[in-house]
């Protein structure tokens, strides 16, 4: 059972386009994190959101935590080839454990 | 250079053999985790540890054992490897409830 559903699974866009990736659950999470993973490497933390409705910006990336703390979105403005990778969301479960979604694989073509 | 180191990076083993994957971190983080990553399943938790000598099962722990005699090391052992355990294994650590995981670079294990 996948607690967190990410959509879309795959996304291929041209450089300069905007995109949004979604992370949805029927469960409430105390916090949610987004990671980016490049081939052959481990995931790297991008952001943690804690408060319902919270919005955080990291350069061209905007992260939002849903009001009910069940969902989140990642919006990338003017995507660049360096944004290519697997984007994973992870929700905080009990006792310091995080449950990961299956990821969105983004390819940004020059 | 400080960080979290996994070894080996690649491993091929035969069905039925015991194999141990190593994980070492230099931050003295209390919490350490083992995940496996498979296509279509994302990252699934195998075992975690809150401190030395404190470990607990995750969602896919069958066939695996862990130990944590020292804070910095968290080895994962496959007692009798099966083909279904072919996967990429990631070790992670976390020092505080305020921060996310720091992951190692992974071990790609193939069981033939």
């Amino acid at each position: 059972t996948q607690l967190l559903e990410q959509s879309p699974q795959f996304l291929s866009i041209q450089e300069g386009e905007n995109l949004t990736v979604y992370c949805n659950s029927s469960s409430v999470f105390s916090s949610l994190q987004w990671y980016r993973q490049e081939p052959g490497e481990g995931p790297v933390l991008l952001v943690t959101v804690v408060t319902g409705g919270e919005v955080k910006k990291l350069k061209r990336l905007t992260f939002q935590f849903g009001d009910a703390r069940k969902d989140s979105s990642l919006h990338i403005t003017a995507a660049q080839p360096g944004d290519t990778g697997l984007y994973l969301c992870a929700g905080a479960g009990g006792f310091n454990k995080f449950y990961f979604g299956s990821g969105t694989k983004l390819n940004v073509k020059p | 250079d400080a960080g979290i180191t996994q070894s080996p990076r690649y491993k091929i083993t035969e069905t039925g053999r015991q194999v141990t994957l190593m994980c070492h971190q230099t931050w003295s983080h209390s919490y350490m985790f083992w995940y496996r990553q498979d296509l279509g399943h994302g990252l699934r938790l195998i075992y975690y540890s809150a401190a030395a000598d404190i470990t607990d099962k995750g969602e896919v722990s069958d066939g695996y054992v862990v130990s944590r005699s020292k804070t910095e090391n968290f080895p994962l052992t496959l007692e009798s490897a099966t083909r279904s355990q072919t996967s990429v294994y990631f070790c992670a650590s976390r020092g505080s409830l305020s921060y996310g995981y720091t992951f190692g670079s992974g071990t790609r294990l193939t069981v033939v």
Side-chain angles (χ1 to χ4, degrees), chain B residues 39-95:
Chain B
L39 277 174
H41 290 281
L43 285 155
R44 291 182 291 174
L45 182 65
I46 305 171
Y47 265 97
Y48 62 98
S49 170
D53 297 322
I54 300 175
T55 63
D56 207 348
K57 296 179 179 181
E59 54 186 314
V60 290
S61 60
D62 287 348
Y64 303 93
V65 294
V66 293
S67 62
R68 196 161 175 215
S69 57
K70 292 184 177 181
T71 300
E72 60 267 30
N73 296 323
F74 191 38
L76 174 73
T77 297
L78 287 67
E79 297 179 292
S80 178
T82 65
R83 290 200 178 103
S84 65
Q85 292 177 310
T86 292
S87 186
V88 182
Y89 290 85
F90 287 100
C91 178
S93 71
R94 191 177 186 210

Side-chain angles (χ1 to χ4, degrees), chain A residues 36-47:
Chain A
R36 181 169 70 210
Q37 183 179 18
E38 298 187 17
E41 296 298 325
V44 175
L45 179 68
L46 295 174
V47 76

Side-chain angles (χ1 to χ4, degrees), chain A residues 33-38 40-48 58 61 63 74 86-89 100, chain B residues 37 43 90 100-105:
Chain A
Q33 300 178 341
W34 285 93
Y35 293 80
R36 181 169 70 210
Q37 183 179 18
E38 298 187 17
E41 296 298 325
V44 175
L45 179 68
L46 295 174
V47 76
T48 301
L58 186 66
L61 279 60
F63 304 87
L74 158 59
L86 178 68
Y87 288 82
L88 295 158
C89 65
F100 283 81
Chain B
Q37 187 172 35
L43 285 155
F90 287 100
Y101 293 132
T102 301
F103 282 88
S105 296

Side-chain angles (χ1 to χ4, degrees), chain A residues 68-104:
Chain A
R69 291 184 288 125
K70 291 183 179 181
D71 54 82
S72 181
S73 63
L74 158 59
H75 182 79
I76 301 179
T77 303
Q80 298 177 0
D83 296 325
T84 293
L86 178 68
Y87 288 82
L88 295 158
C89 65
F95 194 66
N96 205 35
K97 291 182 286 183
F98 277 81
Y99 297 96
F100 283 81
S102 55
T104 292

